[in-house]
Amino acid sequence: MMTQNLVSTNNQQLTTNISYNVVLQAENICKSFTLHNQGGINFPVIEDISFNLKAGECVALAGESGTGKSTFMRCLYANYRVNSGAVWVKHEGEWVNLCKLESYELITVRQKTIGYVSQFLRVIPRVPAIDVAIEPLLELGVDKKVAHEKICELFTRLNLPQHLWNLSPTNFSGGEKQRVNIARALAVDYPILLLDEPTSALDATNSQVVIELLQERKKDGCAMVGIFHDEEVRSQLCDGELKVKDS
Ligand SMILES: Nc1ncnc2c1ncn2[C@@H]1O[C@H](COP(=O)(O)OP(=O)(O)OP(=O)(O)O)[C@@H](O)[C@H]1O
Ligand SMILES: [Mg+2]
């Protein structure tokens, strides 16, 4: 294995050697929640998880309901602040620890390097589906016409009926909202994608479309961490699994 010693842009030495094609490394992640409205009880959810993710690899987070899969994914996206540990991400050729970034730096990493498909689409009333999906591309400075074409292409592949494109997703079905969410995340060529049950509300045909889109991304070198309850999705996409809790 080819290895290198790396120094991050925020000047922290990575503690281990990383092979060249690793794009994300989680180191000793611990996360607990304190319930302030219940006497300040503190309960640990993630206890010392480390793993590496390579370009073109898809790792499934495994564990029963409530074991901390979504929590761990949110730690990887720095949505949740970890108690200890580090999330190293290769961003424009430099290693950055998401847990230590200033918020403006985190925004840039999320715009360019790491995408996240949450289970539910955050719907803004009166904003049409096409504008919801196009936003990350426009934020990157992509030409409006090019961005528009890309979203139309994705909506078409995802079988989102054309009469919905200019309506706000507020009243869309669960599966329609999920497809808008997926188009929004897949429009940008993120090197890393985090997917929290991206096909949970889809029928078999639309699930298969998403699997194919994700397989294409993998071939292009996109690295993925996913939570997939559907065995069919897991078997077609994933190269390995990571248990969030020892059983
Ligand atoms: N913001 C929060 N505040 C307090 N507790 C939380 C918070 N988020 C998650 N938890 C708790 O952490 C534990 C793990 O939740 P999480 O949503 O990560 O589980 P999961 O493995 O994704 O489950 P599922 O398969 O049902 O989606 C649960 O006991 C949950 O109640
Ligand atoms: Mg979950």
Side-chain angles (χ1 to χ4, degrees), residues 31 109 143 204:
K31 172 69 187 166
V109 176
D143 174 76

Side-chain angles (χ1 to χ4, degrees), residues 139-241:
E139 276 174 2
L140 271 179
V142 174
D143 174 76
K144 206 166 175 187
K145 192 165 170 278
V146 174
H148 192 268
E149 274 165 18
K150 193 153 194 186
I151 298 301
C152 291
E153 195 186 307
L154 276 165
F155 277 179
T156 304
R157 274 195 76 180
L158 288 160
N159 300 311
L160 191 72
Q162 200 161 355
H163 69 271
L164 296 180
W165 296 5
N166 286 309
L167 299 180
S168 160
T170 320
N171 297 317
F172 285 12
S173 73
E176 288 163 352
K177 279 185 192 158
Q178 197 161 41
R179 279 175 279 164
V180 175
N181 212 12
I182 289 165
R184 183 182 154 93
L186 292 187
V188 177
D189 289 327
Y190 298 110
I192 303 167
L193 268 178
L194 307 177
L195 308 151
D196 195 344
E197 302 189 36
T199 57
S200 59
L202 303 183
D203 56 39
T205 309
N206 284 312
S207 234
Q208 194 54 41
V209 172
V210 174
I211 292 171
E212 282 161 23
L213 283 165
L214 293 174
Q215 282 171 334
E216 288 166 22
R217 270 309 146 78
K218 270 187 79 181
K219 273 204 193 100
D220 291 341
C222 177
M224 299 174 192
V225 179
I227 303 169
F228 307 107
H229 282 306
D230 187 345
E231 176 52 40
E232 183 60 32
V233 182
R234 264 205 306 273
S235 68
Q236 290 197 53
L237 269 180
C238 299
D239 305 295
E241 67 175 37

Side-chain angles (χ1 to χ4, degrees), residues 81-92:
R81 187 185 288 271
V82 296
N83 297 76
S84 58
V87 178
W88 293 99
V89 162
K90 203 169 204 178
H91 169 66
E92 299 190 311

Side-chain angles (χ1 to χ4, degrees), residues 31 33-35 43-46 62-74 80 119 196-197 227 229 244-245:
K31 172 69 187 166
F33 290 109
T34 304
L35 302 180
F43 68 98
V45 177
I46 302 299
E64 284 161 19
S65 178
T67 47
K69 301 179 297 297
S70 297
T71 299
F72 183 61
M73 191 166 274
R74 286 172 174 216
Y80 282 159
Q119 194 177 347
D196 195 344
E197 302 189 36
I227 303 169
H229 282 306
V244 290
K245 202 147 250 158

Side-chain angles (χ1 to χ4, degrees), residues 23-43:
V23 291
L24 183 149
Q25 176 171 302
E27 274 184 354
N28 308 103
I29 303 290
C30 295
K31 172 69 187 166
S32 65
F33 290 109
T34 304
L35 302 180
H36 296 287
N37 56 356
Q38 289 176 58
I41 301 169
N42 183 275
F43 68 98

